[in-house]
Amino acid sequence: MISDNIRRRADGVLTFAGHSVPALAEQYGTPLYLMDEARIRRNCRIYLDTFRECFGTQALPLFAGKAASYKQIYRIVNEEGMGIDAVSVGEIHTALQAGFPADRIFFHGDGKTDADIRYAVTHRVGYFIVDNPEELQQLAEEAALQGIVQKVLLRITPGIDPHTYKALTTGIVDVKFGVPLETGQALAFVHRALSYPSLSVLGLHCHIGSQVFDESVFEDSVDVMTGFMAKLKEDFGFETKMLNVGGGYGVRYVDTDKQIDIPARIRRVAGRLKARAEELGLALPFFLMEPGRSIVADAGMTVYTVSSVKRIPGYKYYVVVDGSMADNPRYCLYGAQYTVLHADREPELYAVYDLAGRCCESGDIIQPAVKLPEDTRRGDHIAVCTTGAYNYSMASNYNRLARPPVVMLTAEGSYLAVRRETIEDLCALDL
Ligand code: LLP
């Protein structure tokens, strides 16, 4: 199986986190997002334990809430002792509602408005990761107005290509995020940041991309960033106390994807950082990473019910389900691959189908060319694996479809983390 929390019983029924998938579909209805709570916790601990081993107390992994943002997730990652990366007041509000401590929130984003900045300063969010000089100016004014000194990291674009989907590449020079090193603008950015008495500049941030498998991307980041840290020390006498190298480790969606050994990778990054700090005469900075996908992706599964099966002789076969690009837009957006399984039985004969959604456009394909039983029919349950990251969080109400619920699975049973939207919810904002 693509993930070891997915099994098939002897009678052919698919299980996820030890629970029968068809039984969950009956209990909660479909489309349905399932989340394996133990897996989320395990994935957090991989980062927490390896960070502790490498850096003692001088490191913290931040869960990137953009991958999955709702109160129960923030409760779980808080219980595990993670910090979080938030990209909007919506994410911050959700985390605060879940009791997440504001001082472990790092506020990201390239488009923070004056109102966003005011909200986050008012709620005493621990750290801003400042993307651009305009934000710096506005934040400095707001912090001064509220009589506080705001802790900040500065987002730098190191000029590294992670070789992932183009839309997920963020570390090359020509992107909308951060301030580039190559052009000299980053140096000016830090210089300017240091001039504001209402800001305490603790360090630097970079993020290279997402769904990254390349071996050495993070070591390359460390090389570039420590080089820049040395320059800051030399030019401004500035000591970088925190270094955040972002998120991005890739996860397995299909059998041909590699399995990344995250502890081994982190140990190598830590080793490189320590070596470079020593070589350059720098104090070892507090170390941060921002994993999103690798915390929640393999904790998720989406379950659908088949509405129709179209076999067009000489052309294609389609399985149409009760979900769509509205609950999983990732194939439409990125050509993302998924493993798709029949949840009710192990077939003797397979056919190849496009798994299509119910939206009114031909492009609404959840996954092309998947192998499903030859006799797949209306009422069958279909599971799309590894949907814990960037599925619920990117879901929309396109075609006025109600978003599915998120059900959390535990050893004891299951509980609703997010209830199903109703058609009344869909009109809740209409006047
Ligand atoms: N930090 C920053 C600044 C980021 O921009 C991201 C992801 C992360 C951390 C977390 O990266 P992760 O560990 O999850 O790879 N919607 C796309 C993914 C967009 C990623 C955006 N930034 C998808 O569905 O694949």
Side-chain angles (χ1 to χ4, degrees), residues 257-430:
D257 287 333
K258 278 186 286 189
Q259 178 75 53
I260 292 189
D261 181 348
I262 291 178
R265 295 269 183 124
I266 294 172
R267 285 184 197 112
R268 285 209 324 249
V269 176
R272 181 69 70 93
L273 178 57
K274 288 175 188 174
R276 286 282 291 173
E278 182 154 347
E279 179 192 327
L280 297 166
L282 300 167
L284 192 64
F286 189 98
F287 181 75
L288 301 142
M289 275 185 145
E290 299 164 337
R293 195 188 307 271
S294 54
I295 300 292
V296 285
D298 66 354
M301 173 184 275
T302 308
V303 191
Y304 302 108
T305 302
V306 174
S307 304
S308 71
V309 181
K310 296 197 176 152
R311 300 185 172 87
I312 311 171
Y315 292 87
K316 250 191 213 161
Y317 286 10
Y318 291 92
V319 167
V320 183
V321 292
D322 55 357
S324 68
M325 64 195 288
D327 64 75
N328 185 353
R330 295 191 67 256
Y331 174 73
C332 296
L333 281 172
Y334 316 118
Q337 291 182 290
Y338 283 99
T339 298
V340 177
L341 302 170
H342 199 285
D344 308 324
R345 59 185 182 275
E346 178 107 274
E348 276 167 21
L349 276 177
Y350 284 103
V352 176
Y353 305 85
D354 277 10
L355 185 69
R358 60 179 302 170
C359 284
C360 282
E361 61 179 81
S362 306
D364 177 21
I365 300 293
I366 298 168
Q367 194 63 199
V370 299
K371 272 173 66 185
L372 290 169
E374 236 241 311
D375 62 349
T376 298
R377 54 188 174 265
R378 183 174 173 90
D380 286 359
H381 297 117
I382 305 292
V384 179
C385 305
T386 328
T387 58
Y390 303 109
N391 277 244
Y392 172 77
S393 66
M394 292 176 75
S396 76
N397 292 123
Y398 183 44
N399 280 197
R400 212 66 160 169
L401 292 169
R403 269 176 288 225
V406 182
V407 168
M408 203 62 79
L409 306 176
T410 63
E412 296 75 41
S414 60
Y415 63 93
L416 269 179
V418 181
R419 73 159 167 80
R420 184 180 297 283
E421 269 178 358
T422 63
I423 48 176
E424 287 76 30
D425 290 330
L426 292 171
C427 286
L429 306 180
D430 295 8

Side-chain angles (χ1 to χ4, degrees), residues 26-227:
E26 289 307 320
Q27 183 181 351
Y28 291 102
T30 60
L32 173 64
Y33 295 118
L34 299 174
M35 291 297 277
D36 172 357
E37 180 169 335
R39 181 55 57 105
I40 301 171
R41 292 183 186 278
R42 191 204 75 172
N43 290 341
C44 290
R45 285 174 203 173
I46 287 175
Y47 281 91
L48 288 158
D49 293 350
T50 316
F51 274 35
R52 200 168 303 119
E53 171 198 317
C54 295
F55 297 102
T57 56
Q58 295 307 299
L60 181 68
L62 313 176
F63 169 61
K66 70 207 81 180
S69 182
Y70 36 91
K71 282 160 57 177
Q72 294 296 338
I73 290 271
Y74 291 117
R75 176 185 62 78
I76 293 165
V77 301
N78 185 29
E79 284 171 7
E80 293 299 324
M82 306 267 287
I84 56 166
D85 141 4
V87 287
S88 66
V89 298
E91 287 186 5
I92 295 172
H93 175 74
T94 309
L96 293 175
Q97 289 293 305
F100 202 94
D103 62 356
R104 269 192 281 129
I105 299 178
F106 288 66
F107 187 19
H108 255 291
D110 58 331
K112 299 183 193 86
T113 65
D114 293 1
D116 295 342
I117 291 169
R118 186 163 319 119
Y119 174 93
V121 173
T122 305
H123 286 83
R124 300 294 187 259
V125 159
Y127 302 82
F128 272 68
I129 299 187
V130 180
D131 179 89
N132 54 69
E134 292 94 326
E135 177 189 341
L136 201 58
Q137 173 74 32
Q138 184 62 31
L139 177 59
E141 285 173 21
E142 186 63 40
L145 198 70
Q146 297 201 29
I148 66 156
V149 175
Q150 177 63 52
K151 290 184 273 192
V152 303
L153 303 187
L154 303 174
R155 181 158 182 173
I156 306 299
T157 327
I160 296 170
D161 188 344
H163 305 113
T164 180
Y165 308 124
K166 190 169 182 301
L168 309 192
T169 294
T170 51
I172 56 173
V173 178
D174 181 13
V175 287
K176 68 178 185 128
F177 294 107
V179 180
L181 267 182
E182 189 184 293
T183 56
Q185 286 162 293
L187 199 63
F189 186 42
V190 178
H191 189 245
R192 180 150 175 206
L194 292 172
S195 72
Y196 295 106
S198 60
L199 301 181
S200 166
V201 183
L202 289 183
L204 306 174
H205 169 278
C206 65
H207 170 78
I208 312 300
S210 193
Q211 186 63 353
V212 174
F213 289 98
D214 262 24
E215 287 284 334
S216 62
V217 166
F218 287 92
E219 282 99 315
D220 294 347
S221 293
V222 164
D223 283 350
V224 173
M225 297 302 275
T226 47

